[in-house]
Amino acid sequence: MKNIDALCTRKQFLIGSGAATVGLFFGRGLLQAQPRTSPPALTPLTTPESADNVPDFPEHDPPFDRTRVKRFVIAAHVNFAAVKAMLAEEPKLINGTIDWGNGDFESALGGASHMGRRDIAEYLLEHNARLDIFAATMLGKFDIVKPAVAAFPNIVHVPGPHGIPLIVHAEKGGPAAKEVLEFLRQFAGQPVPGR
C-alpha cells in the first residue's frame, strides 16, 4: 500500500542523499585545495568600530575635472543659460561639489540657493539635484523646514556654503520664503550650542 502523505518517494530519497554525499565529498576536497586565508587579525588597539578600521572602497569611474565642476557651480550662482547648457552636455554634473577650502563645500544648488536664484534652484531640483535644508529654506518650503528644525534644532546654526546662515537663505527667498523667514527669526538671538 502506498503512503501518499510521504514528502518524497524512496527513489527520490536515495538519489538525493547520494547526490548530497558526492557533493559533500568533492566539495570538501575543493575547499581543502584552496589556499587558506583568514581575516586580518585585529590588533588589541583595533576593534571593528575603531577609528582606525575604515575600509578602502575602490574607485568606480574617474572623477570630474575640478575646473569643470567649479565652472558649473559658479554658473549656478548667476547664469541660468550656462547651467542648462552644461547639464545638457553632462547630466551627472548635477550634484558636483566644489571644495573652496577650509571645509567650505558648495554644490550648484547651494550657489543658487544663497543667491536667491529660485529659477536655477528649481531647474536643478527638476534635474535630480539633492535637496538640502538651505535650498528648502530659500524656496520657502515651510513644510520641510519646520519639521527639520523640530527634529534637529541645531540645524538653524549650521553654516551653509561660505558660512552663510540659514536665515540669510530665507531672506534671499523673498516673498515666497516669508513664512520660513518669520519662523527662523525666533532662533536668531539664541546662542549657538557648543561654542
Side-chain angles (χ1 to χ4, degrees):
M1 179 177 213
K2 279 188 171 181
N3 181 359
I4 60 172
D5 294 329
L7 293 175
C8 64
T9 66
R10 182 175 170 199
K11 183 178 178 181
Q12 289 170 326
F13 174 77
L14 291 173
I15 291 171
S17 52
T21 303
V22 169
L24 182 63
F25 176 74
F26 284 110
R28 195 170 121 182
L30 287 173
L31 287 175
Q32 290 175 348
Q34 299 297 315
R36 295 203 182 256
T37 59
S38 58
L42 296 176
T43 63
L45 299 176
T46 307
T47 65
E49 291 294 318
S50 77
D52 294 328
N53 189 19
V54 178
D56 185 25
F57 291 117
E59 295 292 330
H60 296 283
D61 293 308
F64 282 121
D65 176 61
R66 183 183 192 280
T67 303
R68 188 177 192 187
V69 175
K70 180 180 175 183
R71 186 170 178 263
F72 179 65
V73 170
I74 290 171
H77 285 71
V78 295
N79 191 334
F80 196 7
V83 168
K84 286 181 179 180
M86 287 186 235
L87 273 183
E89 182 182 323
E90 180 49 77
K92 291 180 182 177
L93 273 174
I94 191 69
N95 290 308
T97 304
I98 194 73
D99 178 358
W100 296 113
N102 201 27
D104 182 12
F105 294 90
E106 185 177 31
S107 66
L109 182 60
S113 297
H114 74 73
M115 294 298 289
R117 289 302 303 262
R118 171 180 296 277
D119 55 344
I120 297 174
E122 288 176 344
Y123 183 82
L124 293 169
L125 289 164
E126 289 166 5
H127 288 81
N128 301 320
R130 297 178 188 133
L131 178 67
D132 63 24
I133 190 71
F134 299 98
T137 297
M138 186 276 292
L139 293 169
K141 300 296 182 184
F142 187 71
D143 57 331
I144 295 172
V145 176
K146 184 178 180 184
V149 171
F152 302 99
N154 191 50
I155 203 167
V156 299
H157 303 292
V158 173
H162 317 308
I164 298 170
L166 196 59
I167 198 163
V168 172
H169 286 76
E171 292 167 352
K172 291 289 187 175
K178 183 179 179 188
E179 186 179 19
V180 174
L181 178 59
E182 293 304 318
F183 171 71
L184 292 176
R185 282 193 172 135
Q186 66 182 305
F187 303 102
Q190 293 181 358
V192 178
R195 287 191 186 169

